[in-house]
Amino acid sequence: RVIGEAMDKLCDRIAVVHIKDFLPGDGKLKSVAAGAGKMDYSAILSFLKARKPYVQATLENTDDTNAVQSRELIERLYREAL
């Protein structure tokens, strides 16, 4: 709810989106490549598709082994977003 309100109020100022993911473990959150963890992107991608369809996105924790897979997943989820 808080993120949704922030996106709605700051929509005109959003110039880029930073996409990250996480895995819980040992009482901490471990950062992983987008799509490799537990993050639910549906609300964020639906908002972007409806209100900021041309915004640029960066993918955190990607490298030569996972960057293409992460990009393709986010692109697919974006296409499927309501």
Side-chain angles (χ1 to χ4, degrees):
R1 186 179 63 83
V2 172
I3 299 297
E5 288 178 20
M7 288 188 304
D8 190 50
K9 289 180 179 181
L10 299 172
C11 181
D12 293 340
R13 293 177 176 235
I14 295 172
V16 68
V17 177
H18 184 80
I19 296 178
K20 53 194 302 181
D21 210 334
F22 68 94
L23 285 172
D26 298 327
K28 298 178 183 178
L29 297 178
K30 177 184 176 186
S31 291
V32 295
K38 299 291 185 181
M39 181 67 180
D40 179 358
Y41 299 103
S42 57
I44 293 169
L45 294 177
S46 292
F47 170 85
L48 294 174
K49 190 172 187 176
R51 306 267 310 269
K52 300 295 279 192
Y54 299 106
V55 74
Q56 298 293 310
T58 60
L59 300 174
E60 184 170 318
N61 292 318
T62 57
D63 59 28
D64 293 346
T65 67
N66 60 25
V68 171
Q69 181 179 349
S70 290
R71 178 187 53 82
E72 289 175 346
L73 172 74
I74 296 301
E75 287 176 342
R76 180 179 58 78
L77 292 174
Y78 180 84
R79 284 191 307 272
E80 296 170 356
L82 301 175

